[in-house]
Amino acid sequence: MRDFNYRRRQTSTVAIGNTPLGSEYPIRVQSMTSTSTLDTEGSVEQAKRIFDAGADYVRLTTQGVREAENMAEIRARLHADGYDKPLVADIHFNPKAAYAAAAVTDKVRINPGNFVDAARTFKHLEYTDEEYQAEIEKIRRALIPFLDICREHHTAVRLGVNHGSLSDRIMSRYGDTPAGMVESVMEYLRICREVDFHDVVISIKASNTVIMVETVRRMVAAMDAEGMAYPLHLGVTEAGDGEDGRIKSAVGIGTLLAEGIGDTIRVSLSEEPELEIPVARKLVDYITAREGHAPIAGEMAPGYDYFAPERRPTTAVGIVGGENHPVVATTLTESQLEGCPVKPDFYLSDCQWVEADASEPVEEVIARAGESNVILLTSHHRNPVGELMAFIHALMASGSRLPVVVKMSYDDSDEESLQVKAGADFGALLIGRLCDGILLEAPHLEHPSDAVRYAFDILQAARLRTTKTEYISCPGCGRTLYDLQSTIRQIKVATSHLTGLKIGIMGCIVNGPGEMADADYGYVGAAAGKVSLYKGKECVTRNIPQEEALDRLIELIKANGDWKEAE
């Protein structure tokens, strides 16, 4: 991060069908079908709905050669009906499927965690340097023939690493870490550069927004260090559905977009895929409207760790700052909050505070605040996040320990727009560990008190407070082994009162155990009509008939002492 001004990171251009990708082109939005890729009719119709919603690309799962070859028929049918935007094949575990897809589609996504390496078992493996290099040679032998096919057919490649699908080889040497995720990509990128293949896009995702943001930042730094500038695809995996999925996606993706990082995005919701596109478009439009804003002066405070920031040291004023968790404040009255399922930590009348605009000189605000006030900080700049960051970094550099609550007000009456904007704005500040609380105002909502709920959701999405059950649920694809959306609804009805638990709900085994690694419990598709249950990373019950799985999940939660009856 060079400064606090918004500008797109400059990247190379990647040719993807008739819709190129890179910094000279608009930020592209995309989604993925949830149909079987062998279901030509269903896949064509769903792809049309996604394109009609405004997508630039549509991805389909291609777990085998048959699915990969059927991409040609799906593509031909779409083209015949006037839909000529690019299709992307999604590969896991199967280089032969990647070879087949490369000849018949516009882009192929491969996962360095399982393209050549065996499926992970979470076992620690020991390698000498020579043995490790031999593993890299195995990658070269599989990857270069694939790149040759892509070159012949003008097919682009996405190297897509997920936190949940790192290989045992990478995890044994680097751990389940951002460094391991970055190196997993770099191994492949070096081979691509070696053979002069540059139509490459990078994605590096996680369901944990903090890990996702740190890893992408480190990915950019690693590419910069080796003279690479490939475009980036951003996404928060298994974000969930409803307001949770929208807010969590906005926190992770929006934080990076605000820094100018990201050339295409996918908002992964456990809903119909065409519903992802308006959310993604709103997020992109909101951030890119900052282009050409009035310059913001300032630089990061000395000692600030951009990759893994720590909370700014402050002196507590009541429940704000110090060792207290970040708070939610409100300007609403108690009567206005009647019926709201969550209550704010404090009303402004409960605290000593001084309001300031981030455009003011820091020294003047410090003088006005004295020694025992909270700074209630706001911004009216076209790039409010940049201006707020610049002020708080200047406050850090001055040595002031006054706590800061950031106040943001929005005119939106549309809930989805508000969730996206507030998630992106507050998320960037919270991921940066720059403030001690947030105050979200949305007076034009049908129920203005919903702003308090959204504020708590944003804190949870930024991994700073857990105030309700968190569901780590995948968006579904052609690999999904049960009716994902209805299952999520059933599990939520049964467990949403269990405040503080994380429950993973995964359609198949590909990313399941890895993406829900920090979940307390997991519900994972194992085969058609079968479910396996997890406690943490450990599979405790395999291949349960789905009709029994919810009851067995509740039994598992009870057996581990985490169940309480709903009030």
Side-chain angles (χ1 to χ4, degrees):
M1 185 177 180
R2 296 154 294 183
D3 52 42
F4 304 109
N5 295 287
Y6 173 78
R7 68 177 71 85
R8 285 276 299 280
R9 167 180 168 260
Q10 293 300 299
T11 74
S12 56
T13 296
V14 173
I16 306 173
N18 59 7
T19 310
L21 179 69
S23 52
E24 67 180 277
Y25 293 97
I27 296 173
R28 308 297 192 183
V29 300
Q30 57 182 280
S31 184
M32 184 174 185
T33 61
S34 57
T35 53
S36 166
T37 309
L38 295 177
D39 175 7
T40 303
E41 186 66 32
S43 297
V44 166
E45 291 306 312
Q46 192 172 71
K48 287 179 179 179
R49 293 196 296 274
I50 298 170
F51 283 132
D52 287 343
D56 296 298
Y57 312 125
V58 168
R59 182 159 45 113
L60 298 91
T61 187
T62 47
Q63 59 264 57
V65 172
R66 289 175 61 219
E67 288 87 352
E69 291 175 342
N70 202 49
M71 288 281 291
E73 177 62 22
I74 293 169
R75 189 188 193 198
R77 290 275 302 276
L78 285 166
H79 284 198
D81 290 342
Y83 291 82
D84 61 353
K85 289 184 179 178
L87 298 183
V88 183
D90 190 75
I91 309 290
H92 287 275
F93 303 112
N94 195 336
K96 290 181 179 179
Y99 300 160
V104 298
T105 193
D106 301 289
K107 183 170 75 170
V108 179
R109 180 274 178 110
I110 61 172
N111 185 338
N114 54 39
F115 184 68
V116 174
D117 286 306
R120 73 228 177 288
T121 59
F122 302 104
K123 290 182 180 178
H124 185 77
L125 305 174
E126 295 288 346
Y127 294 95
T128 65
D129 288 344
E130 292 77 13
E131 289 170 336
Y132 199 88
Q133 188 57 40
E135 295 297 310
I136 302 298
E137 287 303 311
K138 283 171 57 178
I139 294 172
R140 290 183 80 258
R141 289 196 297 271
L143 183 61
I144 291 175
F146 167 64
L147 297 178
D148 288 341
I149 299 170
C150 290
R151 195 192 314 270
E152 177 185 355
H153 293 276
H154 307 287
T155 304
V157 173
R158 171 153 72 98
L159 299 177
V161 167
N162 282 355
H163 189 217
S165 57
L166 291 178
S167 67
D168 287 341
R169 176 180 63 83
I170 285 287
M171 287 198 292
S172 295
R173 177 157 285 205
Y174 295 93
D176 190 9
T177 63
M181 294 171 73
V182 169
E183 184 59 24
S184 186
V185 177
M186 292 302 294
E187 290 176 349
Y188 279 65
L189 276 183
R190 294 179 189 118
I191 296 169
C192 291
R193 183 168 64 177
E194 173 191 335
V195 299
D196 201 28
F197 185 92
H198 299 293
D199 277 332
V200 181
V201 183
I202 310 302
S203 70
I204 193 156
K205 299 183 180 182
S207 63
N208 181 318
T209 56
V210 175
I211 290 174
M212 176 260 192
V213 169
E214 177 184 347
T215 307
V216 172
R217 287 172 172 171
R218 291 187 184 278
M219 185 74 239
V220 171
M223 285 196 287
D224 287 348
E226 298 195 26
M228 301 175 181
Y230 297 106
L232 282 158
H233 166 131
L234 303 182
V236 176
T237 57
E238 288 77 43
D241 64 352
E243 66 191 49
D244 294 337
R246 285 157 176 79
I247 288 172
K248 190 173 182 181
S249 295
V251 167
I253 300 171
T255 295
L256 292 164
L257 287 180
E259 297 173 15
I261 296 172
D263 303 280
T264 179
I265 72 169
R266 187 216 174 166
V267 173
S268 298
L269 301 176
S270 301
E271 301 175 15
E272 292 303 311
E274 60 267 26
L275 298 181
E276 297 177 351
I277 302 304
V279 185
R281 188 66 68 189
K282 287 173 182 175
L283 181 54
V284 167
D285 290 348
Y286 181 58
I287 300 297
T288 56
R290 299 170 186 176
E291 188 75 52
H293 63 69
I296 298 168
E299 57 187 24
M300 285 191 293
Y304 181 78
D305 187 343
Y306 166 66
F307 297 108
E310 296 183 358
R311 188 173 174 185
R312 170 179 163 256
T314 59
T315 300
V317 177
I319 63 170
V320 185
E323 299 300 315
N324 297 304
H325 54 60
V327 297
V328 170
T330 187
T331 53
L332 298 175
T333 65
E334 290 189 56
S335 61
Q336 289 174 306
L337 287 166
E338 189 174 346
C340 183
V342 291
K343 301 300 180 186
D345 295 301
F346 73 91
Y347 304 87
L348 285 190
S349 57
D350 296 339
C351 184
Q352 294 175 283
W353 56 275
V354 58
E355 190 159 7
D357 193 282
S359 62
E360 296 182 66
V362 166
E363 298 79 8
E364 293 181 10
V365 174
I366 293 173
R368 195 163 77 246
E371 297 183 357
S372 57
N373 279 304
V374 173
I375 297 174
L376 183 64
L377 188 65
T378 192
S379 171
H380 297 90
H381 196 279
R382 185 145 59 93
N383 180 4
V385 170
E387 189 177 60
L388 290 161
M389 284 183 170
F391 182 97
I392 297 171
H393 275 276
L395 196 66
M396 293 168 65
S398 76
S400 170
R401 295 176 63 92
L402 290 168
V404 173
V405 172
V406 171
K407 173 185 173 183
M408 298 287 283
S409 300
Y410 300 90
D411 293 332
D412 299 85
S413 58
D414 174 66
E415 293 183 0
E416 184 175 86
S417 294
L418 176 67
Q419 292 157 9
V420 165
K421 292 177 182 180
D425 290 340
F426 284 118
L429 296 161
L430 294 168
I431 292 283
R433 303 303 189 245
L434 292 173
C435 60
D436 303 285
I438 60 177
L439 195 164
L440 169 55
E441 284 188 324
H444 300 296
L445 287 181
E446 182 179 357
H447 303 290
S449 62
D450 286 345
V452 172
R453 190 175 79 249
Y454 297 156
F456 279 107
D457 290 347
I458 292 167
L459 286 173
Q460 182 154 324
R463 305 301 238 202
L464 287 171
R465 287 180 72 174
T466 301
T467 51
K468 65 180 184 181
T469 310
E470 180 174 343
Y471 298 94
I472 303 168
S473 61
C474 71
C477 69
R479 295 184 297 266
T480 303
L481 295 165
Y482 56 83
D483 184 338
L484 185 69
Q485 294 178 36
S486 66
T487 300
I488 292 169
R489 288 193 293 269
Q490 292 166 10
I491 293 175
K492 281 189 169 184
V493 168
T495 63
S496 60
H497 64 288
L498 301 174
T499 303
L501 283 187
K502 297 188 184 77
I503 299 176
I505 310 168
M506 312 298 292
C508 74
I509 201 68
V510 168
N511 293 324
E515 287 295 2
M516 61 181 200
D518 66 345
D520 301 291
Y521 299 94
Y523 181 113
V524 179
K530 302 288 186 180
V531 171
S532 294
L533 299 180
Y534 286 72
K535 177 69 174 77
K537 287 185 179 179
E538 181 186 358
C539 183
V540 295
T541 311
R542 298 181 185 275
N543 299 318
I544 307 166
Q546 191 192 354
E547 56 269 22
E548 302 175 14
L550 177 55
D551 289 340
R552 298 283 290 277
L553 174 64
I554 292 170
E555 290 173 11
L556 178 63
I557 296 171
K558 288 180 176 178
N560 283 275
D562 290 326
W563 184 266
K564 65 177 182 180
E565 297 300 327
E567 294 181 2

